[in-house]
């Protein structure tokens, strides 16, 4: 009988809770071989339990505490749309090997067999990732995200719910795509871009560190102004 992978999520609010609930749902309702063990979280004011899941330790001590338990793996979900590069640097600072980061794909998601997905990535409920797409490490796809064929998303890309990314798109690392956003086919988006909620991207975004919003999406300002 296959043993369950036990997952610790770095974080304890927002998306981190959603994913914890998704893992619980996958285990209980779909018999997935995964178990939500608890949170690694650095905010003691939230208490020792969040949504029925224990807070096990702080983030800096998590790997040392569970390093010897090979069935325990980690997901990083401390997200801020203005600080995606800092997010990537924080993940790297923990010095956790790639094979100890867990890729969680909810059973309701559709993943084409030709898709390649890196470690530490989350594909949440009712997402669809189509043929020959390449997904990097530590990406997060919120519910009902669709990724077109032959699209490449680099490391640390985050999509909000109901995002539709077309085919033959390239999205640079550490980019944040807001909810209800559409990205047209054959578009390139520079690293560390922030696309505001409800936007439609119809032209390439070549300068990194910018915020775009609207339909069609237009430059708003620098991420750090």
């Amino acid at each position: 009988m296959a043993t369950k992978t036990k997952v610790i999520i770095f974080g304890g609010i927002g998306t981190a809770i959603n994913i914890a609930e998704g893992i619980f749902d996958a285990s209980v309702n779909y018999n997935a071989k995964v178990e939500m063990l608890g949170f690694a979280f650095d905010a003691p004011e939230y208490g020792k339990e969040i949504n029925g899941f224990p807070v096990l330790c702080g983030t800096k001590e998590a790997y040392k505490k569970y390093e010897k338990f090979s069935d325990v793996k980690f997901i990083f979900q401390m997200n801020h749309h203005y600080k995606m590069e800092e997010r990537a640097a924080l993940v790297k600072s923990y010095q956790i090997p790639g094979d100890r980061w867990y890729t969680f794909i909810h059973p309701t998601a559709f993943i084409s067999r030709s898709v390649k997905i890196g470690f530490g990535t989350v594909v949440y409920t009712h997402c669809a990732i189509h043929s020959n797409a390449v997904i990097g490490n530590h990406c997060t796809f919120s519910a009902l995200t669709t990724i077109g064929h032959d699209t490449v998303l680099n490391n640390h890309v985050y999509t909000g719910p109901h995002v539709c990314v077309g085919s033959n798109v390239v999205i640079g690392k550490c980019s944040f795509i807001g909810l209800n956003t559409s990205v047209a086919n054959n578009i390139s988006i520079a690293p560390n871009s922030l696309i505001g909620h409800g936007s439609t991207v119809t032209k390439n975004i070549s300068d990194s560190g910018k915020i775009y919003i609207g339909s069609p999406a237009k430059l708003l300002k620098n991420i750090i102004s």
Side-chain angles (χ1 to χ4, degrees), residues 7-13 15-16 19 23 39-40 42 59-60 73-80 83-94 96 100-104 119-122 137-140 156-158:
V7 176
I8 296 173
I9 295 177
F10 282 52
I13 59 175
T15 305
I19 294 169
I23 290 172
F39 295 107
D42 299 324
T59 59
K60 293 181 180 179
K73 298 196 175 186
F74 307 94
I75 293 174
F76 185 90
Q77 285 298 323
M78 294 160 58
N79 304 304
H80 193 292
K83 297 181 179 180
M84 295 299 287
E85 286 189 327
E86 289 90 335
R87 175 192 199 272
L90 187 57
V91 170
K92 186 176 180 181
S93 74
Y94 296 126
I96 297 176
R100 295 299 297 273
W101 292 108
Y102 184 67
T103 292
F104 173 61
F119 56 78
T121 285
V122 171
N137 306 324
H138 299 291
C139 294
T140 299
H156 297 280
V157 171
Y158 184 104

Side-chain angles (χ1 to χ4, degrees), residues 130 133 146-153 163-171 181-187 201:
H130 294 287
T146 298
I147 306 297
H149 66 76
D150 297 287
T151 283
V152 176
L153 283 80
V163 166
C164 182
V165 178
S167 301
N168 295 290
V169 172
V170 177
I171 300 181
T181 289
S182 296
V183 180
N185 296 339
N186 304 303
I187 291 294
V201 182

Side-chain angles (χ1 to χ4, degrees), residues 43-206:
E45 63 271 23
Y46 283 86
K48 297 181 179 180
E49 184 178 279
I50 300 172
N51 276 48
F53 304 109
V55 177
L56 301 169
C57 57
T59 59
K60 293 181 180 179
E61 61 199 85
Y63 182 57
K64 183 178 180 180
K65 183 174 182 179
Y66 292 94
E67 181 179 4
K68 295 181 180 179
F69 300 93
S70 60
D71 59 338
V72 175
K73 298 196 175 186
F74 307 94
I75 293 174
F76 185 90
Q77 285 298 323
M78 294 160 58
N79 304 304
H80 193 292
H81 52 290
Y82 283 107
K83 297 181 179 180
M84 295 299 287
E85 286 189 327
E86 289 90 335
R87 175 192 199 272
L90 187 57
V91 170
K92 186 176 180 181
S93 74
Y94 296 126
Q95 298 184 324
I96 297 176
D99 63 354
R100 295 299 297 273
W101 292 108
Y102 184 67
T103 292
F104 173 61
I105 300 172
H106 192 272
T108 61
F110 167 73
I111 311 292
S112 293
R113 63 178 183 172
S114 54
V115 169
K116 296 179 180 178
I117 299 179
F119 56 78
T121 285
V122 171
V123 183
Y124 203 56
T125 54
H126 302 287
C127 291
I129 304 180
H130 294 287
S131 59
N132 300 306
V134 178
I135 310 301
N137 306 324
H138 299 291
C139 294
T140 299
F141 301 105
S142 300
L144 295 160
T145 291
T146 298
I147 306 297
H149 66 76
D150 297 287
T151 283
V152 176
L153 283 80
N154 288 280
N155 299 341
H156 297 280
V157 171
Y158 184 104
T159 72
H162 295 267
V163 166
C164 182
V165 178
S167 301
N168 295 290
V169 172
V170 177
I171 300 181
K173 65 181 182 179
C174 300
S175 290
F176 182 98
I177 314 297
L179 61 85
N180 287 320
T181 289
S182 296
V183 180
N185 296 339
N186 304 303
I187 291 294
S188 178
I189 296 177
N192 193 30
S193 294
L194 194 164
I195 313 300
H197 302 325
S199 297
T200 304
V201 182
T202 59
K203 295 182 179 179
N204 291 342
I205 294 174
S206 56

